[in-house]
Amino acid sequence: MKIVVIGGSGHIGSFLVPRLVRAGHEVTNVSRGHRKPYVDGPEWQDVRHVIADRGQEDLTGAFGGRIAELGADVVIDLVCFTLDSATALVERLRGQAGHLLHCGSIWRYGPSRKVPVPEDADLPPFGEYGIQKDRIARMLKEETAGGGLATTSLHPGHIVGPGWQPIGPLGNLDPDVWYTLSSGAKLRIPDGGTALMHHVHADDLAQAFEKAVDHREAAAGEDFNIVAPTALSARGYAEIAAGWFGREANLEPVTWEEFRNSGVGNHAQTSWEHLHRNHCFSIRKAEELLGYKPRYEPDAAIFESVGWLIENGQLAVAGELRSSN
């Protein structure tokens, strides 16, 4: 099949595009052309590249037409963040493409009440990003149910893999957390460290997109949670990560007010946004309808990310990264 991947040079596309090429598809990557894939490979030699600035072309209404003119059987949209942008693409592809797959987010759900969270949970989102992702997913489902374009939305957890920093044990991207854990120094952890986070390796997410392409009839009109088999508590995550450096986590439970006043700056808000949601998701629907089988437990995926960052001089730690066991 002819497949267009919008944003194929990013985190997800770095794994997805080679998968699609190996499966025999004719792949076109549409991107701004500013970045090489995070993971290189010979498959990229068989990929057609189209440079486009979606933000600018959405303003003029030209982007949807550009994608439609590529004549794809399947369009995979990895970088859509507003309902207006998603709607414009759907309207232009209706009757032109056979299947549109959208990358959503688990932030389409608000704080957990009961876990694991299924796709039909009534958990109203908060924050503009989550609200927009929820609106897009609902629009896509309604489009297909109404006899329009066949669409599918996949909602990943916190994506990890080689090339970028994972959401850490405190629910933020503060690199100092890793130095603290690797040195055995005291780490202040808010709200007792009981909140949950649900990660996913980028290649497992790529696997899910590939399977949704292969199982169009089962995937059409559906939305799927795509995460690792298990979730991590903040405390458990910190304890596991410290063990990678031969340390025991030295954790000091603090209140949110104490955490915000402890010198972590803007990282405190990011921590709250992740940990307040307290997310753990069910993947049963993706397993049953798509045959999704994640290879990575969350800690193994994160270990791979951290190892890559250390090896490439992008993360300072106090000791040797020893083992993920």
Side-chain angles (χ1 to χ4, degrees), residues 10-306:
H11 296 161
I12 308 164
S14 292
F15 290 91
L16 174 59
V17 169
R19 275 180 167 270
L20 296 174
V21 172
R22 290 194 297 270
H25 299 294
E26 181 182 333
V27 182
T28 299
N29 170 35
V30 179
S31 71
R32 291 180 296 175
H34 295 166
R35 175 191 293 146
K36 292 183 178 180
Y38 285 82
V39 180
D40 201 2
E43 296 88 354
W44 289 96
Q45 298 176 15
D46 297 321
V47 176
R48 177 188 178 192
H49 294 274
V50 173
I51 296 177
D53 187 325
R54 183 179 195 158
Q56 291 298 317
E57 294 190 13
D58 267 343
L59 291 176
T60 63
F63 186 75
R66 176 190 285 273
I67 301 302
E69 288 170 1
L70 294 174
D73 302 301
V74 176
V75 174
I76 301 176
D77 191 353
L78 302 179
V79 288
C80 181
F81 306 106
T82 69
L83 178 61
D84 287 345
S85 182
T87 301
L89 183 61
V90 166
E91 291 178 347
R92 195 62 182 81
L93 292 180
R94 190 183 297 129
Q96 299 293 318
H99 193 187
L100 171 64
L101 292 85
H102 169 81
C103 184
S105 169
I106 56 171
W107 279 21
R108 71 168 299 198
Y109 305 99
S112 297
R113 299 189 186 114
K114 183 179 180 180
V115 296
V117 176
E119 285 81 357
D120 60 356
D122 182 17
L123 299 172
F126 67 90
E128 188 62 17
Y129 178 79
I131 290 170
Q132 288 290 331
K133 284 297 190 181
D134 183 57
R135 288 174 176 171
I136 293 169
R138 292 177 183 274
M139 179 275 292
L140 294 175
K141 185 178 281 286
E142 291 172 1
E143 167 72 17
T144 305
L149 180 65
T151 69
T152 303
S153 59
L154 280 69
H155 300 277
H158 309 308
I159 303 171
V160 292
W164 64 96
Q165 188 169 330
I167 293 297
L170 297 186
N172 62 37
L173 293 171
D174 184 358
D176 291 343
V177 170
W178 295 102
Y179 192 91
T180 300
L181 288 170
S182 66
S183 68
K186 184 180 295 184
L187 182 69
R188 294 182 176 88
I189 189 166
D191 212 21
T194 59
L196 300 172
M197 290 172 280
H198 216 152
H199 294 72
V200 63
H201 193 287
D203 189 53
D204 280 335
L205 178 54
Q207 173 207 147
F209 271 102
E210 183 181 8
K211 287 184 177 295
V213 169
D214 292 341
H215 297 87
R216 173 186 162 183
E217 295 302 318
E222 301 291 349
D223 46 9
F224 298 94
N225 299 329
I226 305 298
V227 289
T230 58
L232 292 168
S233 70
R235 174 179 288 277
Y237 185 172
E239 291 172 346
I240 291 169
W244 296 340
F245 300 94
R247 300 284 189 176
E248 290 188 6
N250 183 5
L251 305 179
E252 178 186 359
V254 295
T255 66
W256 274 109
E257 182 178 1
E258 291 170 330
F259 183 71
R260 292 187 178 97
N261 294 330
S262 64
V264 295
N266 294 333
H267 292 300
Q269 180 61 27
T270 303
S271 294
W272 184 83
E273 289 178 353
H274 284 87
L275 301 181
H276 177 67
R277 285 177 167 87
N278 193 26
H279 278 163
C280 173
F281 292 92
S282 169
I283 57 173
R284 179 180 297 177
K285 183 177 177 182
E287 290 174 324
E288 293 179 349
L289 295 187
L290 303 181
Y292 173 57
K293 295 180 180 180
R295 294 192 302 121
Y296 286 85
E297 285 287 339
D299 45 322
I302 296 163
F303 181 84
E304 185 175 293
S305 295
V306 172

